[in-house]
């Protein structure tokens, strides 16, 4: 026998079927490695660090392919413009050629990461790799692989502290715009 309450009878079907649920937090928002080496920032000049796990010049904070969160003093996110070559404590600075996901718990799949070697006008993406990026609400996490070359490294910066155009002007005396 079907028994309905008065509330069920007088509540429109659409209202009964609709419910609000929060997106579940992806595992990578609580299970990640940390990139916080101060030489990783876009302001830092050349070194020979690289994000390759089994090599002598491995970055101090690199632990091999994994999900990573960027933290100060390195910065909090990957720059979306090239910082130029020989920045971030490496020869080939890694930067995100695209946008970070804007919606909480949204993941961008196969985002393009470029490595700038600055051999000419078209070399700011001399080498590339892909990454997945998740917006964890207050921060981003990146699923990073070993870089394609040892003289390459993922860069970081803090957009609250500096604007990438200001970095370019400070380093070279000319604007990116």
């Amino acid at each position: 026998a079907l028994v309905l309450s008065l509330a069920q009878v007088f509540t429109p079907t659409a209202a009964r079927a609709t419910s609000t649920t929060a997106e579940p937090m992806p595992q990578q928002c609580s299970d990640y490695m940390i990139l916080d080496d101060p030489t990783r920032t876009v302001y830092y000049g050349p070194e020979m660090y690289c994000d390759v796990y089994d090599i002598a010049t491995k970055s101090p904070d690199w632990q091999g392919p994994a999900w990573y969160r960027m933290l100060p003093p390195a910065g909090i996110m990957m720059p979306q413009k090239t910082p130029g070559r020989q920045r971030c404590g490496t020869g080939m600075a890694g930067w995100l050629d695209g946008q970070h996901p804007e919606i909480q718990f949204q993941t961008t799949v196969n985002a393009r990461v470029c490595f700038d070697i600055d051999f000419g006008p078209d070399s700011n993406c001399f080498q590339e790799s892909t990454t997945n990026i998740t917006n964890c609400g207050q921060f981003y996490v990146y699923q990073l692989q070993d870089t394609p070359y040892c003289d390459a490294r993922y860069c970081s910066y803090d957009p609250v502290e500096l604007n990438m155009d200001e970095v370019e002007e400070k380093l070279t005396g000319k604007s990116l715009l």
Side-chain angles (χ1 to χ4, degrees):
L2 179 63
V3 179
L4 297 174
S5 71
L6 287 177
Q8 288 174 313
V9 171
F10 293 107
T11 302
T13 305
R16 285 193 312 255
T18 304
S19 67
T20 305
T21 58
E23 279 291 315
M25 183 174 75
Q27 180 179 351
Q28 62 266 28
C29 290
S30 61
D31 185 16
Y32 51 79
M33 305 292 189
I34 293 173
L35 295 177
D36 63 353
D37 183 68
T39 65
R40 191 175 290 281
T41 182
V42 295
Y43 272 135
Y44 200 86
E47 289 279 347
M48 293 307 292
Y49 289 128
C50 60
D51 290 335
V52 177
Y53 187 70
D54 59 353
I55 197 151
T57 55
K58 174 184 80 71
S59 301
D61 55 358
W62 184 252
Q63 298 180 51
W67 282 96
Y68 284 91
R69 177 181 178 184
M70 296 178 172
L71 288 172
I76 61 168
M77 65 191 294
M78 200 177 295
Q80 294 175 173
K81 290 183 179 180
T82 178
R85 75 180 189 98
Q86 296 195 4
R87 309 297 322 155
C88 311
T90 192
M92 295 172 58
W95 57 281
L96 181 64
D97 184 23
Q99 301 294 314
H100 286 81
E102 294 181 13
I103 300 169
Q104 183 172 325
F105 302 146
Q106 177 184 27
T107 297
T108 300
V109 178
N110 292 326
R112 182 178 177 203
V113 176
C114 289
F115 296 92
D116 189 341
I117 197 162
D118 201 23
F119 280 153
D122 297 322
S123 63
N124 63 355
C125 197
F126 178 74
Q127 269 305 321
E128 63 182 76
S129 68
T130 58
T131 185
N132 297 328
I133 308 165
T134 299
N135 178 333
C136 294
Q138 300 296 316
F139 60 92
Y140 298 101
V141 290
Y142 306 83
Q143 189 175 30
L144 301 175
Q145 304 300 315
D146 282 343
T147 53
Y149 288 104
C150 185
D151 199 13
R153 189 181 197 201
Y154 300 103
C155 289
S156 185
Y157 87 113
D158 188 337
V160 173
E161 292 180 5
L162 57 107
N163 173 296
M164 284 305 294
D165 291 326
E166 293 170 2
V167 171
E168 177 69 11
E169 287 182 53
K170 189 178 251 187
L171 298 174
T172 66
K174 61 183 176 185
S175 174
L176 288 171
L177 299 177

